[in-house]
Amino acid sequence: MIKAKHWISSVAIAGFVFVSSYAQANGIENITLEGAGCPQGSVGKSVSNDRQSMTLIFDSFVASTGPGIPGSEEVKECRIDLTMQNNDSVGVIMDTRGYVQLQSGMTGDQHQNIPRAKRSNLVTNFFGPVAKDYLSRSTATVLAQGNPSSTTVSIMLQVAVDKGSNLTGQGQITIDSLDLKLN
């Protein structure tokens, strides 16, 4: 009886190692960031143990406008390159959270896009006056490039504000976090 328990435990451990290796081989492998909204050292990264989800926390992803603020601050972007091991098409769910504050006459928008994926472009528009937290969700299907494949997928995030007819007011849009889940 003791030998049977030992054998079952060994099989269970081997099965766990196999499942863990499979999940990691079919998930997020690496993350790189580039852009004015995500300068080096300003983004916290967390990837789940099974490599199927991640969270990015942004410290500097703020587009703003107003007196004394240079026009270069009105648009901020970040390109996120994910290297993924996947042997099939994979669904992606993205949630971005942030804050918007626009005075009357101002407009702004938040974009999230995966250029090489089906159904992946989402634009959320805001019209002043507004001051609130927001959540934008998009879904996409990323096509595999072979079997098995290592695919780099680019995600483009952007926020932009336009002072419009309000030349004296201030406004801003932030992206505070991105949650991404593979399914």
Side-chain angles (χ1 to χ4, degrees), residues 59-124:
D59 291 340
S60 304
F61 212 146
V62 181
S64 55
T65 189
I69 298 174
S72 60
E73 295 297 311
E74 293 180 355
V75 177
K76 296 292 177 159
E77 75 292 323
C78 183
R79 187 179 90 201
I80 303 159
D81 290 330
L82 297 179
T83 303
M84 298 189 303
Q85 287 288 332
N86 62 319
N87 54 11
D88 201 357
S89 298
V90 63
V92 176
I93 300 169
M94 291 188 298
D95 288 330
T96 54
R97 289 175 177 77
Y99 180 75
V100 58
Q101 181 175 359
L102 302 171
Q103 293 183 350
S104 183
M106 295 181 171
T107 60
D109 49 58
Q110 184 264 346
H111 299 257
Q112 49 193 63
N113 184 27
I114 302 175
R116 289 186 20 229
K118 293 181 179 180
R119 302 182 331 236
S120 68
N121 192 32
L122 174 70
V123 178
T124 305

Side-chain angles (χ1 to χ4, degrees), residues 100-109 125-132 161-166 170-173:
V100 58
Q101 181 175 359
L102 302 171
Q103 293 183 350
S104 183
M106 295 181 171
T107 60
D109 49 58
N125 299 301
F126 302 100
F127 304 93
V130 63
K132 66 177 185 173
V161 293
D162 185 346
K163 59 185 143 208
S165 62
N166 189 332
Q170 293 187 332
Q172 71 173 0
I173 300 176

Side-chain angles (χ1 to χ4, degrees), residues 1-69:
M1 189 65 157
I2 293 174
K3 287 183 181 180
K5 284 184 181 179
H6 177 69
W7 183 79
I8 291 172
S9 296
S10 297
V11 170
I13 291 169
F16 175 73
V17 170
F18 174 75
V19 170
S20 296
S21 298
Y22 177 79
Q24 289 183 358
N26 285 293
I28 300 165
E29 195 175 82
N30 189 37
I31 305 165
T32 58
L33 304 141
E34 180 182 334
C38 54
Q40 187 169 347
S42 71
V43 180
K45 303 175 194 173
S46 177
V47 179
S48 66
N49 289 338
D50 66 0
R51 315 297 280 173
Q52 298 299 299
S53 62
M54 69 171 202
T55 298
L56 301 178
I57 306 292
F58 299 95
D59 291 340
S60 304
F61 212 146
V62 181
S64 55
T65 189
I69 298 174

